[in-house]
């Protein structure tokens, strides 16, 4: 580790993760810089979600080290919820709770605050993600896909964490809602100085909001850099991913 570690929000070294006989991550190393939006691409079933869940300590590792904000992950950890917010791939809201109660959930779990203060925070967080105070009274079944993602984002940011993990946040959204969500992430990253770790297949997201893109193949990060560098990568999987027929067509349309 030659570079000074204070530049990095997340440092992963030689990470090995598997289930039974299956090895999913095989000596994977990755650095996420403070304040950047890092996009992660990889084949479906390749281990992107497993990587994210291992970094936040939900999946045990067989080998390797993980540091988040200079603190080693492993064993008991204090204040994880204050360090990161998460939008899971199946990022369901609690269906029996209102939007306001969903956003307040991490506050209730981690802090002791008056109801009045929690209501103020919920309104502020909803506003931050482009929703109205009235939306707080709605139930998840009453929301559009785009609104659901925004509420999940408001909940992830309830405790003002410095790091945000997003697992395919725009999948399932129409292109306009996806574009709006990307813009929101980009604005929040700039105004709050967030570090964002985002798993995505969305070429538009990769091109427009990510500072760097990392490619996961064969259990390792095989390429990492700004999008224009990834497009030059000689790695066979990365080439196939960005220069396959389907992505060529999309890149052409985006020009
Ligand atoms: N909790 C688990 N138990 C067993 N196998 C798992 C578990 N979570 C993920 N896997 C396996 O790990 C591999 C990577 O999964 P995942 O990280 O979800 O892929 P993706 O890159 O699509 O997010 C898959 O083969 C999946 O079946
Ligand atoms: Mg996944």
């Amino acid at each position: 580790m030659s570079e000074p570690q204070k530049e990095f929000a997340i440092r992963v070294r030689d990470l090995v993760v598997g289930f039974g006989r299956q090895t999913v991550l095989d000596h994977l190393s990755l650095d996420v810089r403070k304040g950047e939006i890092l996009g992660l691409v990889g084949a479906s079933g390749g281990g992107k979600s497993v990587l994210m869940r291992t970094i936040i300590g939900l999946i045990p590792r067989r080998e390797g080290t993980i540091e988040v904000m200079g603190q080693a992950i492993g064993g008991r950890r204090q204040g994880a919820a204050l360090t990161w917010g998460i939008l899971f791939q199946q990022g369901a809201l609690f269906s029996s709770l209102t939007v306001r109660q969903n956003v307040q959930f991490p506050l209730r779990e981690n802090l002791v605050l008056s109801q009045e203060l929690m209501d103020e925070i919920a309104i502020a967080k909803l506003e931050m993600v482009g929703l109205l105070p009235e939306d707080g009274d709605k139930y998840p079944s009453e929301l559009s896909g785009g609104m659901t993602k925004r509420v999940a984002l408001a909940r992830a940011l309830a405790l003002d964490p410095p790091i945000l993990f997003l697992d395919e946040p725009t999948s399932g959204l129409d292109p306009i809602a996806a574009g709006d969500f990307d813009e929101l992430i980009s604005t929040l990253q700039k105004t709050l100085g967030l570090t964002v770790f985002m798993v995505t297949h969305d070429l538009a997201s990769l091109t427009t909001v990510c500072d760097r893109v990392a490619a996961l193949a064969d259990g390792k990060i095989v390429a990492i850099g700004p999008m224009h560098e990834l497009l030059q990568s000689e790695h066979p999987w990365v080439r196939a991913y960005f220069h396959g027929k389907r992505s060529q067509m999309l890149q052409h349309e985006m020009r």
Side-chain angles (χ1 to χ4, degrees):
M1 297 200 184
S2 52
E3 294 170 87
Q5 70 115 46
K6 64 177 191 297
E7 284 179 42
F8 299 105
I10 303 169
R11 305 206 82 182
V12 178
R13 283 293 169 284
D14 279 318
L15 181 65
V16 179
V17 178
F19 303 98
R21 293 182 162 197
Q22 184 191 12
T23 301
V24 177
L25 304 178
D26 186 10
H27 297 277
L28 178 147
S29 295
L30 172 69
D31 287 328
V32 183
R33 296 175 185 155
K34 278 186 187 164
E36 77 171 338
I37 302 184
L38 181 80
L40 179 68
V41 299
S44 190
K48 302 179 299 296
S49 296
V50 165
L51 173 58
M52 205 173 100
R53 298 175 87 97
T54 307
I55 293 173
I56 61 183
L58 293 178
I59 296 178
R61 59 184 184 265
R62 289 181 177 162
E63 287 178 43
T65 58
I66 299 171
E67 272 178 31
V68 177
M69 291 303 194
Q71 259 197 297
I73 299 291
R76 283 181 174 276
R77 192 186 155 77
Q78 301 276 309
L82 300 170
T83 309
W84 52 64
I86 310 155
L87 216 83
F88 287 110
Q89 195 167 5
Q90 274 85 27
L93 300 170
F94 301 110
S95 58
S96 61
L97 302 183
T98 63
V99 163
R100 181 181 306 104
Q101 289 166 336
N102 266 282
V103 174
Q104 290 171 343
F105 192 82
L107 303 173
R108 247 181 250 284
E109 292 280 288
N110 293 280
L111 305 172
V112 181
L113 300 174
S114 68
Q115 188 58 49
E116 202 181 1
L117 185 52
M118 286 210 294
D119 289 343
E120 276 177 31
I121 295 174
I123 288 173
K125 296 299 166 188
L126 289 175
E127 189 181 7
M128 199 165 85
V129 299
L131 295 173
L132 300 168
E134 302 88 275
D135 293 325
D137 296 326
K138 293 183 176 143
Y139 282 90
S141 62
E142 300 171 307
L143 306 175
S144 69
M147 285 171 87
T148 303
K149 298 284 183 182
R150 281 168 195 264
V151 175
L153 185 60
R155 186 175 64 183
L157 295 174
L159 292 164
D160 300 319
I163 304 179
L164 182 61
F165 290 94
L166 305 170
D167 199 351
E168 304 199 20
T170 56
S171 71
L173 297 184
D174 68 69
I176 294 172
D180 288 347
F181 191 86
D182 278 346
E183 208 168 295
L184 175 62
I185 293 299
S186 190
T187 306
L188 291 176
Q189 182 267 335
K190 283 193 200 88
T191 53
L192 304 175
L194 289 173
T195 302
V196 182
F197 181 93
M198 173 162 77
V199 175
T200 183
H201 285 293
D202 192 325
L203 277 171
S205 305
L206 292 168
T207 315
T208 57
V209 301
C210 293
D211 297 300
R212 293 194 303 156
V213 176
L216 172 62
D218 308 321
K220 294 177 182 61
I221 300 299
V222 295
I224 184 165
M227 189 62 179
H228 67 265
E229 273 179 41
L230 258 83
L231 292 173
Q232 308 293 317
S233 170
E234 298 288 328
H235 189 279
W237 185 86
V238 181
R239 279 190 64 84
Y241 189 84
F242 290 115
H243 301 281
K245 257 195 193 135
R246 202 176 142 77
S247 57
Q248 281 294 308
M249 196 171 72
L250 286 165
Q251 284 172 47
H252 181 76
E253 279 172 12
M254 279 175 348
R255 271 200 286 270

